[in-house]
Amino acid sequence: MKMKKREFLAGILGAGAGLASGAAWAQTKAGAASINSGRQTSAVDVNYKPRRFNKVIELWEDGQPAWYTTVRPEPARNSYELGKAMCKTWADMINYDMEHELFDLAELHEFMRGLADGGGTRSGHRMPVVFVTCPVLGLSEAYMLANSWVLGQILDMGVMSIQICHARDPKAVEVAAHMACRYPFDYPGVPKLARQGLRGASASFANQVWGMNNAQYVRAADLWPLNPKGEILFGLKIEDTVADANAEASLSVPGVAFAEWGPTDNNYWLNNFDGLPLDGSRFDETKFPKMMAVHDMVLRLCKKHNVRYLNLATNVPGTFNYVLNQIRDGAMLLVGSEETAYVGREHSGRKMPI
């Protein structure tokens, strides 16, 4: 009994400082059961050296899907310690969800500060990529002009990506991407756009989070793939009937890096209460032809405009969202459990350590 107790205690201590306080916080609706099991693919390169700051872009440049998990702000927990623990997550990317959750930049600030103090990832990157689902919606050009300051404030917290929900108006997408998320510089080799960036001096906290001085940060903090050397990712949710109708124009806006078809919200718009089983179970999108038509359209347009497609992935063979089906269809940004991610990463021959 004594030996078993010692082994048990050693296992707890071996999990690392901060893991005990952070593990419970890392459990999300995406299904993550722990910060990181440490399980690697059979193709892992133990001598891997990162080429750039944003590990998701690096994966995409290598033709590899990236995986994310979700964190939601809660004032009752210590955001700094959560960020510090989540630096070691199995996920490549963290969705810091402020679309329907508390919009609190102080909590985001502390989360990012903790992430920067987390000691880096196994792949050698400073931290996982963080994208914020923003409560400012893509409703219209005038609406986005009035609320663009919010996007600038979010980026000043050191996040590397923003996703605009209900991306209805291509002009709103332009304002968000080209004005709110960019600096006014003429970057070498980058096309000149009609709208000039409004980010200003100085994002001193973002500099600290990225481990750069201001001159280095502003050179790196531009939209990829518009700027091949940029480290900021801009994404869209095509998630209602108005956004669906304008999807072609929105996804063709230069600088859009990833997009999803927003099945949960599109379900509201397309299926009314028919898509909400009273037992609380998730709807089956394959039973709704209108839903599948939107899925097929957004996937096709993403491929057409060199936009990375985002979708849910599960580890249930034979289902629509089965991970291998999603990778086969071309999904390059996936949300699911660590186990599901392992199946996908093994299938794709991932070399970057997890």
Side-chain angles (χ1 to χ4, degrees):
M1 291 295 292
K2 290 182 179 179
M3 176 61 71
K4 289 183 179 179
K5 183 176 181 181
R6 284 197 295 270
E7 290 171 350
F8 175 70
L9 290 174
I12 293 176
L13 294 172
L19 204 67
S21 62
W25 297 337
Q27 297 186 26
T28 71
K29 292 179 182 177
S34 66
I35 296 288
N36 194 334
S37 69
R39 189 181 186 187
Q40 303 295 321
T41 66
S42 59
V44 66
D45 179 359
V46 295
N47 298 312
Y48 189 91
K49 301 294 183 185
R51 302 188 306 271
R52 58 188 308 157
F53 177 77
N54 187 313
K55 68 182 295 185
V56 170
I57 298 175
E58 192 166 322
L59 284 165
W60 288 345
E61 289 178 336
D62 290 340
Q64 289 289 322
W67 291 82
Y68 79 86
T69 190
T70 299
V71 164
R72 293 176 171 87
E74 295 179 16
R77 66 188 181 187
N78 186 314
S79 291
Y80 172 80
E81 293 297 335
L82 174 60
K84 193 172 180 180
M86 286 298 289
C87 186
K88 304 299 185 183
T89 178
W90 59 267
D92 307 304
M93 198 176 200
I94 299 167
N95 169 214
Y96 194 92
D97 181 14
M98 293 202 289
E99 179 188 7
H100 297 295
E101 303 294 337
L102 181 70
F103 184 75
D104 190 330
L105 292 176
E107 295 292 337
L108 177 60
H109 179 283
E110 287 302 283
F111 178 80
M112 296 304 298
R113 188 169 69 89
L115 202 71
D117 288 347
T121 69
R122 280 192 175 93
S123 60
H125 294 87
R126 182 171 172 83
M127 64 189 70
V129 175
V130 175
F131 78 98
V132 170
T133 37
C134 184
V136 174
L137 309 178
L139 301 183
S140 69
E141 181 179 14
Y143 173 94
M144 189 58 72
L145 283 167
N147 291 283
S148 61
W149 64 272
V150 176
L151 278 62
Q153 289 275 294
I154 291 171
L155 290 173
D156 285 349
M157 295 300 99
V159 304
M160 308 84 173
S161 178
I162 284 180
Q163 186 181 33
I164 300 298
C165 305
H166 291 281
R168 293 181 163 193
D169 185 351
K171 297 297 184 184
V173 174
E174 287 183 5
V175 171
H178 300 166
M179 298 178 72
C181 293
R182 299 191 74 209
Y183 284 100
F185 305 113
D186 291 326
Y187 290 91
V190 178
K192 185 77 172 177
L193 302 176
R195 301 179 191 266
Q196 197 163 12
L198 287 174
R199 292 194 71 191
S202 156
S204 58
F205 181 70
N207 303 343
Q208 296 169 28
V209 170
W210 286 32
M212 302 178 183
N213 63 37
N214 185 67
Q216 294 167 333
Y217 174 79
V218 298
R219 284 169 168 80
D222 197 23
L223 300 185
W224 182 95
L226 174 67
N227 182 345
K229 294 183 178 180
E231 303 284 359
I232 298 283
L233 294 171
F234 182 83
L236 301 177
K237 285 189 181 185
I238 309 296
E239 58 179 348
D240 63 46
T241 51
V242 180
D244 298 341
N246 293 326
E248 172 90 57
S250 295
L251 291 171
S252 67
V253 171
V256 176
F258 67 93
E260 63 172 284
W261 67 294
T264 306
D265 276 58
N266 257 314
N267 180 48
Y268 282 23
W269 285 78
L270 295 170
N271 301 325
N272 203 4
F273 291 119
D274 292 341
L276 293 172
L278 285 173
D279 64 2
S281 61
R282 189 184 188 277
F283 59 91
D284 180 353
E285 47 269 88
T286 62
K287 293 182 178 179
F288 297 97
K290 291 181 180 178
M291 289 278 290
M292 294 309 298
V294 171
H295 163 270
D296 294 347
M297 175 192 68
V298 173
L299 177 58
R300 174 178 57 82
L301 291 174
C302 281
K303 291 178 179 179
K304 177 180 177 180
H305 296 290
N306 194 32
V307 172
R308 273 61 181 176
Y309 176 70
L310 182 161
N311 203 69
L312 169 68
T314 69
N315 196 22
V316 184
T319 62
F320 174 72
N321 289 312
Y322 179 47
V323 55
L324 299 190
N325 292 342
Q326 290 301 316
I327 292 174
R328 178 203 63 205
D329 288 347
M332 292 297 286
L333 183 56
L334 294 156
V335 58
S337 67
E338 182 180 8
E339 177 60 29
T340 301
Y342 175 79
V343 172
R345 287 162 165 165
E346 186 69 21
H347 174 77
S348 63
R350 174 177 167 138
K351 295 181 179 180
M352 183 188 290
I354 303 159

